[in-house]
PDB file of all heavy atoms in Angstrom:
ATOM      1  N   ARG B 227      81.137 140.446 231.790  1.00 91.00           N
ATOM      2  CA  ARG B 227      82.447 140.964 232.175  1.00 91.00           C
ATOM      3  C   ARG B 227      82.362 142.475 232.449  1.00 91.00           C
ATOM      4  O   ARG B 227      83.062 143.005 233.330  1.00 91.00           O
ATOM      5  CB  ARG B 227      83.475 140.703 231.071  1.00 91.00           C
ATOM      6  CG  ARG B 227      84.884 141.014 231.478  1.00 91.00           C
ATOM      7  CD  ARG B 227      85.833 140.902 230.282  1.00 91.00           C
ATOM      8  NE  ARG B 227      85.307 141.708 229.175  1.00 91.00           N
ATOM      9  CZ  ARG B 227      85.824 141.708 227.960  1.00 91.00           C
ATOM     10  NH1 ARG B 227      86.846 140.942 227.686  1.00 91.00           N
ATOM     11  NH2 ARG B 227      85.313 142.462 227.010  1.00 91.00           N
ATOM     12  N   SER B 228      81.540 143.178 231.641  1.00 92.00           N
ATOM     13  CA  SER B 228      81.442 144.633 231.813  1.00 92.00           C
ATOM     14  C   SER B 228      80.233 145.087 232.619  1.00 92.00           C
ATOM     15  O   SER B 228      80.272 146.133 233.248  1.00 92.00           O
ATOM     16  CB  SER B 228      81.379 145.325 230.442  1.00 92.00           C
ATOM     17  OG  SER B 228      82.574 145.113 229.739  1.00 92.00           O
ATOM     18  N   THR B 229      79.164 144.308 232.584  1.00 93.00           N
ATOM     19  CA  THR B 229      77.945 144.792 233.242  1.00 93.00           C
ATOM     20  C   THR B 229      77.803 144.274 234.644  1.00 93.00           C
ATOM     21  O   THR B 229      76.965 144.766 235.401  1.00 93.00           O
ATOM     22  CB  THR B 229      76.672 144.364 232.451  1.00 93.00           C
ATOM     23  OG1 THR B 229      76.609 142.933 232.462  1.00 93.00           O
ATOM     24  CG2 THR B 229      76.699 144.866 231.023  1.00 93.00           C
ATOM     25  N   GLY B 230      78.609 143.244 234.998  1.00 91.00           N
ATOM     26  CA  GLY B 230      78.463 142.674 236.330  1.00 91.00           C
ATOM     27  C   GLY B 230      77.057 142.116 236.497  1.00 91.00           C
ATOM     28  O   GLY B 230      76.599 141.357 235.671  1.00 91.00           O
ATOM     29  N   THR B 231      76.379 142.522 237.538  1.00 90.00           N
ATOM     30  CA  THR B 231      75.023 141.999 237.786  1.00 90.00           C
ATOM     31  C   THR B 231      73.929 142.853 237.154  1.00 90.00           C
ATOM     32  O   THR B 231      72.741 142.537 237.291  1.00 90.00           O
ATOM     33  CB  THR B 231      74.754 141.916 239.305  1.00 90.00           C
ATOM     34  OG1 THR B 231      74.979 143.195 239.863  1.00 90.00           O
ATOM     35  CG2 THR B 231      75.695 140.909 239.978  1.00 90.00           C
ATOM     36  N   ASN B 232      74.293 143.921 236.452  1.00 92.00           N
ATOM     37  CA  ASN B 232      73.253 144.716 235.766  1.00 92.00           C
ATOM     38  C   ASN B 232      72.714 143.959 234.563  1.00 92.00           C
ATOM     39  O   ASN B 232      73.469 143.243 233.883  1.00 92.00           O
ATOM     40  CB  ASN B 232      73.844 146.052 235.259  1.00 92.00           C
ATOM     41  CG  ASN B 232      74.237 146.969 236.404  1.00 92.00           C
ATOM     42  OD1 ASN B 232      73.709 146.857 237.489  1.00 92.00           O
ATOM     43  ND2 ASN B 232      75.176 147.862 236.130  1.00 92.00           N
ATOM     44  N   ASN B 233      71.454 144.112 234.278  1.00 94.00           N
ATOM     45  CA  ASN B 233      70.838 143.488 233.122  1.00 94.00           C
ATOM     46  C   ASN B 233      70.882 144.468 231.939  1.00 94.00           C
ATOM     47  O   ASN B 233      70.197 145.502 231.974  1.00 94.00           O
ATOM     48  CB  ASN B 233      69.377 143.122 233.439  1.00 94.00           C
ATOM     49  CG  ASN B 233      68.634 142.622 232.214  1.00 94.00           C
ATOM     50  OD1 ASN B 233      69.230 142.159 231.245  1.00 94.00           O
ATOM     51  ND2 ASN B 233      67.312 142.739 232.255  1.00 94.00           N
ATOM     52  N   PRO B 234      71.639 144.150 230.876  1.00 95.00           N
ATOM     53  CA  PRO B 234      71.744 145.115 229.779  1.00 95.00           C
ATOM     54  C   PRO B 234      70.577 145.032 228.774  1.00 95.00           C
ATOM     55  O   PRO B 234      70.484 145.862 227.893  1.00 95.00           O
ATOM     56  CB  PRO B 234      73.039 144.686 229.095  1.00 95.00           C
ATOM     57  CG  PRO B 234      73.114 143.228 229.307  1.00 95.00           C
ATOM     58  CD  PRO B 234      72.478 142.969 230.659  1.00 95.00           C
ATOM     59  N   PHE B 235      69.728 144.023 228.918  1.00 96.00           N
ATOM     60  CA  PHE B 235      68.683 143.794 227.931  1.00 96.00           C
ATOM     61  C   PHE B 235      67.439 144.643 228.208  1.00 96.00           C
ATOM     62  O   PHE B 235      67.319 145.248 229.278  1.00 96.00           O
ATOM     63  CB  PHE B 235      68.332 142.299 227.865  1.00 96.00           C
ATOM     64  CG  PHE B 235      69.542 141.444 227.552  1.00 96.00           C
ATOM     65  CD1 PHE B 235      70.132 140.688 228.524  1.00 96.00           C
ATOM     66  CD2 PHE B 235      70.092 141.472 226.279  1.00 96.00           C
ATOM     67  CE1 PHE B 235      71.264 139.924 228.244  1.00 96.00           C
ATOM     68  CE2 PHE B 235      71.214 140.718 225.991  1.00 96.00           C
ATOM     69  CZ  PHE B 235      71.816 139.946 226.976  1.00 96.00           C
ATOM     70  N   HIS B 236      66.541 144.634 227.276  1.00 94.00           N
ATOM     71  CA  HIS B 236      65.263 145.323 227.465  1.00 94.00           C
ATOM     72  C   HIS B 236      64.532 144.649 228.634  1.00 94.00           C
ATOM     73  O   HIS B 236      64.578 143.421 228.761  1.00 94.00           O
ATOM     74  CB  HIS B 236      64.444 145.211 226.172  1.00 94.00           C
ATOM     75  CG  HIS B 236      63.234 146.104 226.158  1.00 94.00           C
ATOM     76  ND1 HIS B 236      62.034 145.729 226.677  1.00 94.00           N
ATOM     77  CD2 HIS B 236      63.079 147.363 225.703  1.00 94.00           C
ATOM     78  CE1 HIS B 236      61.167 146.712 226.544  1.00 94.00           C
ATOM     79  NE2 HIS B 236      61.775 147.721 225.947  1.00 94.00           N
ATOM     80  N   PRO B 237      63.868 145.416 229.482  1.00 94.00           N
ATOM     81  CA  PRO B 237      63.251 144.799 230.664  1.00 94.00           C
ATOM     82  C   PRO B 237      62.257 143.674 230.330  1.00 94.00           C
ATOM     83  O   PRO B 237      62.049 142.785 231.137  1.00 94.00           O
ATOM     84  CB  PRO B 237      62.557 145.966 231.366  1.00 94.00           C
ATOM     85  CG  PRO B 237      62.766 147.183 230.539  1.00 94.00           C
ATOM     86  CD  PRO B 237      63.766 146.877 229.494  1.00 94.00           C
ATOM     87  N   LYS B 238      61.687 143.710 229.115  1.00 95.00           N
ATOM     88  CA  LYS B 238      60.725 142.649 228.747  1.00 95.00           C
ATOM     89  C   LYS B 238      61.376 141.433 228.139  1.00 95.00           C
ATOM     90  O   LYS B 238      60.690 140.450 227.815  1.00 95.00           O
ATOM     91  CB  LYS B 238      59.683 143.211 227.783  1.00 95.00           C
ATOM     92  CG  LYS B 238      58.717 144.186 228.461  1.00 95.00           C
ATOM     93  CD  LYS B 238      57.516 144.469 227.575  1.00 95.00           C
ATOM     94  CE  LYS B 238      56.553 145.404 228.279  1.00 95.00           C
ATOM     95  NZ  LYS B 238      55.519 145.921 227.350  1.00 95.00           N
ATOM     96  N   THR B 239      62.683 141.466 227.887  1.00 98.00           N
ATOM     97  CA  THR B 239      63.361 140.338 227.252  1.00 98.00           C
ATOM     98  C   THR B 239      63.646 139.238 228.252  1.00 98.00           C
ATOM     99  O   THR B 239      64.242 139.477 229.309  1.00 98.00           O
ATOM    100  CB  THR B 239      64.691 140.820 226.637  1.00 98.00           C
ATOM    101  OG1 THR B 239      64.426 141.813 225.622  1.00 98.00           O
ATOM    102  CG2 THR B 239      65.448 139.658 225.990  1.00 98.00           C
ATOM    103  N   GLU B 240      63.227 138.013 227.899  1.00 98.00           N
ATOM    104  CA  GLU B 240      63.510 136.851 228.741  1.00 98.00           C
ATOM    105  C   GLU B 240      64.829 136.241 228.268  1.00 98.00           C
ATOM    106  O   GLU B 240      65.073 136.166 227.048  1.00 98.00           O
ATOM    107  CB  GLU B 240      62.373 135.844 228.569  1.00 98.00           C
ATOM    108  CG  GLU B 240      62.532 134.578 229.401  1.00 98.00           C
ATOM    109  CD  GLU B 240      61.588 133.436 228.947  1.00 98.00           C
ATOM    110  OE1 GLU B 240      60.730 133.685 228.074  1.00 98.00           O
ATOM    111  OE2 GLU B 240      61.760 132.331 229.444  1.00 98.00           O
ATOM    112  N   ILE B 241      65.687 135.827 229.178  1.00 97.00           N
ATOM    113  CA  ILE B 241      66.954 135.234 228.777  1.00 97.00           C
ATOM    114  C   ILE B 241      67.147 133.869 229.434  1.00 97.00           C
ATOM    115  O   ILE B 241      66.915 133.739 230.629  1.00 97.00           O
ATOM    116  CB  ILE B 241      68.150 136.191 228.976  1.00 97.00           C
ATOM    117  CG1 ILE B 241      69.457 135.559 228.494  1.00 97.00           C
ATOM    118  CG2 ILE B 241      68.267 136.701 230.383  1.00 97.00           C
ATOM    119  CD1 ILE B 241      70.482 136.554 228.014  1.00 97.00           C
ATOM    120  N   VAL B 242      67.515 132.899 228.601  1.00 98.00           N
ATOM    121  CA  VAL B 242      67.672 131.511 229.058  1.00 98.00           C
ATOM    122  C   VAL B 242      69.042 131.020 228.592  1.00 98.00           C
ATOM    123  O   VAL B 242      69.365 131.150 227.411  1.00 98.00           O
ATOM    124  CB  VAL B 242      66.585 130.606 228.412  1.00 98.00           C
ATOM    125  CG1 VAL B 242      66.761 129.146 228.846  1.00 98.00           C
ATOM    126  CG2 VAL B 242      65.184 131.090 228.763  1.00 98.00           C
ATOM    127  N   GLY B 243      69.839 130.511 229.500  1.00 98.00           N
ATOM    128  CA  GLY B 243      71.167 130.006 229.132  1.00 98.00           C
ATOM    129  C   GLY B 243      71.295 128.527 229.367  1.00 98.00           C
ATOM    130  O   GLY B 243      70.494 127.923 230.099  1.00 98.00           O
ATOM    131  N   GLY B 244      72.304 127.907 228.732  1.00 98.00           N
ATOM    132  CA  GLY B 244      72.641 126.506 229.010  1.00 98.00           C
ATOM    133  C   GLY B 244      71.878 125.491 228.177  1.00 98.00           C
ATOM    134  O   GLY B 244      71.925 124.302 228.516  1.00 98.00           O
ATOM    135  N   VAL B 245      71.233 125.924 227.102  1.00 98.00           N
ATOM    136  CA  VAL B 245      70.506 124.953 226.246  1.00 98.00           C
ATOM    137  C   VAL B 245      71.494 124.280 225.304  1.00 98.00           C
ATOM    138  O   VAL B 245      72.180 124.922 224.511  1.00 98.00           O
ATOM    139  CB  VAL B 245      69.384 125.688 225.444  1.00 98.00           C
ATOM    140  CG1 VAL B 245      68.757 124.749 224.414  1.00 98.00           C
ATOM    141  CG2 VAL B 245      68.333 126.207 226.399  1.00 98.00           C
ATOM    142  N   MET B 246      71.601 122.965 225.394  1.00 98.00           N
ATOM    143  CA  MET B 246      72.573 122.178 224.626  1.00 98.00           C
ATOM    144  C   MET B 246      73.995 122.703 224.838  1.00 98.00           C
ATOM    145  O   MET B 246      74.814 122.783 223.927  1.00 98.00           O
ATOM    146  CB  MET B 246      72.209 122.174 223.130  1.00 98.00           C
ATOM    147  CG  MET B 246      70.870 121.503 222.878  1.00 98.00           C
ATOM    148  SD  MET B 246      70.606 121.088 221.145  1.00 98.00           S
ATOM    149  CE  MET B 246      71.796 119.772 220.928  1.00 98.00           C
TER     150      MET B 246
END
Side-chain angles (χ1 to χ4, degrees):
Chain B
R227 189 188 51 187
S228 296
T229 63
T231 55
N232 293 336
N233 173 22
F235 302 106
H236 192 273
K238 289 194 179 168
T239 299
E240 181 195 353
I241 182 151
V242 178
V245 172
M246 298 195 69

